[in-house]
Amino acid sequence: CDWSSDVCSSDLIGPDGAFRVPLLTAGEYSGTLARKVEVRVPGTTRTSYAPFGARVVPVRVVAGATARVELEAPAVTFGSLSGRLVGADAMASGCSVVLVMLDTDNVQRGVFPVAADGSFVADDVLSGRYRVSVATSAQRAIDEVPAQLGAIVEIAPGAVAVKEFPFVRRTLTLRL
């Protein structure tokens, strides 16, 4: 359990769908299904959970007893995004595209490298609506707030969304 974020999870779900979340204290909980998403860059891993749209089920845990709950598992669908930062030229080299899934918890769902020609591919992404942002590197995508392109893209189940995004890299100078 990650008590700092109020998330207890079972990473192991058996072939029969059974799972266990051990060492819960007595109390009221909510159960739902979510996909664990890890965004990794050298030296850092950020973990978040992407809900599948499953129904939330209340669970009461009593001291010394095992609570049983059945969760409905909706079909999980994935898609891909093949994109290009237009006008990027050599400025995009080393940058990363960041996808933030809307209508959930607005957390990064993936960081994808941008090629020198401005192209990028985001494979095996949960289907849904995403805000597209750009960071100067994968590490900065984790450490800082990426620059938003103002673009929303819909990734359909089993499909590859193809989209171009206008991009101009600028330097911001603040004088105090």
Side-chain angles (χ1 to χ4, degrees):
C1 286
D2 177 1
W3 298 111
S4 64
S5 66
D6 294 331
V7 173
C8 291
S9 67
S10 173
D11 291 336
L12 302 173
I13 298 178
D16 61 351
F19 63 93
R20 291 181 56 88
V21 182
L23 305 175
L24 290 177
T25 57
E28 302 292 326
Y29 295 87
S30 297
T32 191
L33 295 173
R35 178 181 185 202
K36 183 177 182 178
V37 179
E38 292 183 340
V39 177
R40 296 179 186 161
V41 297
T44 304
T45 300
R46 178 181 289 165
T47 301
S48 62
Y49 297 88
F52 287 146
R55 185 172 60 94
V56 176
V57 177
V59 180
R60 172 176 277 175
V61 174
V62 178
T66 298
R68 298 206 178 273
V69 62
E70 288 192 19
L71 301 173
E72 295 175 15
V76 180
T77 57
F78 300 94
S80 297
L81 171 61
S82 177
R84 185 169 178 274
L85 303 179
V86 177
D89 299 327
M91 295 184 297
S93 183
C95 288
S96 292
V97 166
V98 180
L99 295 181
V100 175
M101 190 173 206
L102 302 176
D103 306 325
T104 59
D105 53 4
N106 292 320
V107 173
Q108 293 178 1
R109 293 291 173 229
V111 178
F112 306 93
V114 177
D117 67 353
S119 64
F120 65 92
V121 176
D123 282 327
D124 297 324
V125 178
L126 285 170
S127 56
R129 293 174 0 129
Y130 289 84
R131 182 176 58 240
V132 181
S133 302
V134 176
T136 54
S137 70
Q139 183 62 46
R140 288 194 177 201
I142 297 292
D143 296 339
E144 302 171 2
V145 176
Q148 295 182 17
L149 295 178
I152 305 291
V153 63
E154 179 85 24
I155 298 177
V160 177
V162 178
K163 188 161 180 161
E164 293 186 336
F165 304 92
F167 176 78
V168 177
R169 191 169 179 174
R170 296 189 175 115
T171 301
L172 174 64
T173 305
L174 297 175
R175 290 193 171 94
L176 302 176

